[in-house]
Amino acid sequence: MKRMGTLIVGLLLAGPALLAAQSGFGIKGGASFGNVSNKGVLPGDLGSRTGFAAGLSLASKGGLVGLGVEGLYVQRGVTSSTNGDARKLDYVDVPVYVRVMVPTPGIRPYGYAGPQVSFEVYCEAGETDCPTTEPSGEKRAKTTYAGVIGAGVLLGGRTPLSIEGRYVYGLTDLKLGTINSSESYKTRSFMILAGFHF
């Protein structure tokens, strides 16, 4: 996990310099459908938490291969028929990805993949804040790592509109084990995003 953190920090530092020559800013927003792994060990009926995602992007313009970096506020977690088992998790996501685009006029399809670091802003378990320490006494980690993969299309010319779908595969144990299980819980989410690019 330390190697993943080092890789993400390196890409975050190098990304803006590589993008500076030919880059464009964007505004993105949309819906986030969150879940967690190992949900079967929690009592009650669990469902995905539907939330929102919104933020800014910086990506290279044109070309077959480019880079992108974003800062998005995203809501994740699960709902539950047993109130104490619901999890509301809000993050600031910073994905850094390689994008492959078909540079056709008018409609430009693209795909992308890369690592992501997320900084927890809010965590609620049931109707109370998540504990700050583990049962073992360790401090609960509030920085998590994930892999992202997505695809979409750019529509238009000078200020194109983007529409995309993205899957976020969490890699960090959230330490949300219950009495029934100490299994790790990792975020899983699907996002539908739209944005304008300048």
Side-chain angles (χ1 to χ4, degrees), residues 84-102:
D85 295 313
R87 298 284 189 262
K88 293 182 179 178
L89 299 159
D90 293 2
Y91 294 96
V92 172
D93 287 351
V94 184
V96 179
Y97 51 82
V98 175
R99 183 190 67 199
V100 178
M101 179 184 295
V102 180

Side-chain angles (χ1 to χ4, degrees), residues 10-163:
L11 287 171
L12 288 174
L13 293 174
L18 293 171
L19 292 171
Q22 261 194 325
S23 62
F25 285 97
I27 300 171
K28 288 187 176 183
S32 172
F33 306 94
N35 223 321
V36 293
S37 63
N38 298 323
K39 66 179 183 177
V41 301
L42 291 170
D45 295 323
L46 293 184
S48 64
R49 180 191 182 199
T50 301
F52 71 88
L56 302 173
S57 68
L58 176 66
S60 52
K61 286 185 175 181
L64 180 62
V65 179
L67 294 175
V69 61
E70 298 176 0
L72 300 174
Y73 185 93
V74 181
Q75 295 179 320
R76 295 196 181 91
V78 289
T79 59
S80 175
S81 60
T82 306
N83 191 49
D85 295 313
R87 298 284 189 262
K88 293 182 179 178
L89 299 159
D90 293 2
Y91 294 96
V92 172
D93 287 351
V94 184
V96 179
Y97 51 82
V98 175
R99 183 190 67 199
V100 178
M101 179 184 295
V102 180
T104 54
I107 298 175
R108 290 167 283 167
Y110 61 89
Y112 58 89
Q116 172 176 287
V117 62
S118 298
F119 305 97
E120 184 185 296
V121 177
Y122 177 74
C123 179
E124 182 182 289
E127 294 182 351
T128 62
D129 291 344
C130 294
T132 57
T133 57
E134 319 280 357
S136 65
E138 293 179 73
K139 192 171 181 180
R140 187 172 63 82
K142 293 192 176 184
T143 301
T144 62
Y145 302 97
V148 299
I149 187 168
V153 292
L154 276 175
L155 307 168
R158 190 173 294 270
T159 307
L161 168 69
S162 67
I163 301 171

Side-chain angles (χ1 to χ4, degrees), residues 151-176:
V153 292
L154 276 175
L155 307 168
R158 190 173 294 270
T159 307
L161 168 69
S162 67
I163 301 171
E164 67 185 73
R166 175 181 302 179
Y167 185 73
V168 180
Y169 188 89
L171 301 172
T172 303
D173 183 354
L174 298 178
K175 307 290 188 182
L176 297 177

